[in-house]
């Protein structure tokens, strides 16, 4: 599998998860201070092979990167790396598991795709990224409950890291959970029914939770040099710690991550939002 094949697979065959192995990485992979890994990375990381690869992959798959001015200093490249402050939280900086979700669930603008590049992953540990295709999930939700989940009866509180990045981010506006054909906006244990929502919304939410348990899922163990790219909105994903034989290695696990749109045309979905919210950066990274 290569980037061009992945692009055809997405657009023609409608496959939404791809794993590329043996990707080139920086010669030196530094360790970061868990008290402030972002700033420590800026001090220590002197080469950008991983970032170049992720940007190249985005260009070859026609999926432009996006970043947020209020998150990671507007950086296009994020770190799935343990931050002591966010231990056992539901953020990308956690050292624990992550429930099934979409990234940036509470936010108005969310990536169509995520890409994770294994920069340092201990082979002694079994840490899996789970992938649940939205089409598979729909098979376990009745049409009656799907109809309710397509109505704006739900809210999602912002995660701890987002609230620390922007104090105005507390809870989302009321939103739907299912949109388009099989896109989801949901974070396990966080997304809930809005105040004054009808009883049918509670029943539909419970139906979704049951469906997540029942539906068939895929698992990927991301190793050093692996690039795993998958749909963010047309699927749900999680992190499972199955077996930890190297606790230090688990704590020092580092995935380099990007958010991207489905294609250039997808930018038009948010043209009004872009005009009103100058804090959103929507162009692909031009230089590294």
């Amino acid at each position: 599998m290569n980037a061009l094949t992945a692009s055809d697979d997405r657009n023609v065959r409608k496959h939404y998860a791809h794993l590329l192995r043996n990707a080139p990485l920086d010669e030196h992979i530094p360790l970061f201070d868990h008290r402030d890994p972002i700033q420590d990375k800026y001090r220590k990381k002197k080469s950008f092979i991983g970032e170049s690869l992720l940007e190249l992959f985005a260009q070859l798959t026609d999926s432009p990167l996006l970043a947020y001015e209020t998150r990671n200093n507007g950086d296009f490249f994020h770190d799935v790396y343990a931050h002591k402050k966010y231990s056992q939280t539901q953020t990308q900086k956690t050292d624990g598991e992550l429930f099934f979700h979409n990234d940036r669930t509470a936010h108005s603008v969310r990536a169509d795709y995520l890409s994770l590049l294994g920069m340092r992953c201990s082979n002694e540990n079994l840490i899996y990224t789970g992938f649940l295709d939205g089409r598979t999930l729909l098979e376990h939700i009745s049409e009656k409950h799907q109809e309710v989940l397509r109505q704006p009866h739900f809210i999602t509180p912002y995660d701890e890291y987002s609230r620390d990045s922007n104090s105005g981010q507390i809870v989302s506006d009321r939103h739907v959970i299912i949109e388009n054909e099989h896109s989801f906006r949901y974070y396990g244990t966080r997304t809930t029914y809005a105040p004054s929502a009808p009883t049918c919304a509670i029943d539909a939410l419970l139906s979704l939770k049951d469906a997540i348990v029942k539906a068939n899922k895929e698992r990927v163990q991301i190793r050093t040099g692996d690039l795993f790219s998958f749909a963010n909105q047309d699927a749900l994903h999680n992190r499972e710690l199955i077996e930890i034989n190297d606790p230090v290695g688990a704590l020092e696990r580092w995935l380099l991550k990007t958010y991207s749109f489905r294609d250039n045309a997808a930018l038009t979905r948010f043209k009004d939002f872009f005009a009103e919210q100058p804090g959103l950066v929507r162009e692909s990274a031009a230089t590294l």
Side-chain angles (χ1 to χ4, degrees):
M1 175 68 66
N2 57 46
L4 294 175
T5 304
S7 181
D8 288 342
D9 226 28
R10 286 179 183 178
N11 299 323
V12 178
R13 289 175 284 278
K14 307 302 180 184
H15 295 162
Y16 298 136
H18 297 91
L19 178 66
L20 286 70
R21 296 197 182 276
N22 300 316
L25 299 177
D26 305 76
E27 183 176 354
H28 175 57
I29 309 294
L31 292 169
F32 307 131
D33 187 338
H34 292 286
R35 293 170 297 180
D36 193 354
I38 296 175
Q39 293 304 317
D40 202 33
K41 182 183 80 167
Y42 292 153
R43 287 189 291 266
K44 293 179 178 177
K45 197 169 190 297
K46 305 300 182 181
S47 61
F48 306 97
I49 302 300
E51 289 87 344
S52 299
L53 174 68
L54 287 168
E55 167 63 14
L56 177 62
F57 182 83
Q59 292 191 24
L60 291 175
T61 55
D62 189 30
S63 52
L65 301 182
L66 73 149
Y68 300 83
E69 189 175 68
T70 58
R71 193 175 185 88
N72 286 358
N73 303 309
D75 204 331
F76 284 92
F77 305 99
H78 299 254
D79 305 298
V80 180
Y81 194 92
H83 190 309
K84 188 174 182 180
K85 180 178 180 180
Y86 300 104
S87 176
Q88 298 303 309
T89 62
Q90 288 293 298
T91 76
Q92 66 181 12
K93 307 300 183 187
T94 188
D95 53 2
E97 295 196 329
L98 294 171
F99 306 129
F100 272 106
H101 67 284
N102 316 107
D103 267 32
R104 312 288 277 169
T105 317
H107 297 259
S108 298
V109 177
R110 300 170 305 285
D112 293 310
Y113 279 91
L114 304 180
S115 293
L116 298 171
L117 176 61
M119 299 293 287
R120 181 174 50 247
C121 305
S122 172
N123 291 331
E124 299 300 314
N125 298 322
L126 295 180
I127 300 177
Y128 287 99
T129 299
F131 178 81
L132 175 49
D133 192 305
R135 293 166 294 190
T136 301
L137 190 53
L138 284 181
E139 294 174 0
H140 298 273
I141 305 173
S142 69
E143 291 187 7
K144 174 183 176 181
H145 286 144
Q146 287 186 38
E147 181 180 355
V148 176
L149 292 170
R150 292 182 181 276
Q151 300 172 22
H153 295 314
F154 309 93
I155 56 173
T156 302
Y158 284 85
D159 63 272
E160 296 87 343
Y161 187 53
S162 292
R163 293 199 302 267
D164 286 347
S165 301
N166 185 338
S167 60
Q169 296 177 335
I170 299 172
V171 65
S172 72
D173 294 332
R174 295 169 68 111
H175 64 80
V176 304
I177 288 181
I178 303 176
E179 56 188 346
N180 305 318
E181 184 178 351
H182 46 73
S183 298
F184 283 80
R185 186 176 178 182
Y186 175 78
Y187 202 116
T189 74
R190 184 176 292 149
T191 300
T192 187
Y193 51 88
S196 74
T199 303
C200 62
I202 302 174
D203 294 338
L205 185 61
L206 291 173
S207 174
L208 170 63
K209 292 176 182 289
D210 288 344
I212 291 173
V213 175
K214 296 174 182 176
N216 291 330
K217 308 163 188 71
E218 300 178 56
R219 277 179 173 173
V220 170
Q221 183 182 7
I222 300 175
R223 299 182 181 274
T224 301
D226 286 354
L227 172 57
F228 184 38
S229 186
F230 54 92
N232 181 45
Q233 296 193 60
D234 286 333
L236 302 177
H237 63 279
N238 75 341
R239 181 200 298 171
E240 294 180 88
L241 308 184
I242 302 300
E243 186 175 331
I244 303 299
N245 298 309
D246 177 10
V248 174
L251 195 64
E252 295 174 348
R253 181 176 186 255
W254 177 21
L255 307 180
L256 197 61
K257 170 181 171 181
T258 54
Y259 300 120
S260 64
F261 289 113
R262 186 183 314 277
D263 49 38
N264 282 289
L267 297 176
T268 61
R269 287 178 297 163
F270 304 109
K271 59 182 179 181
D272 293 336
F273 187 85
F274 291 149
E276 297 172 2
Q277 303 289 333
L280 179 71
V281 183
R282 63 188 177 98
E283 298 86 359
S284 267
T287 59
L288 297 171

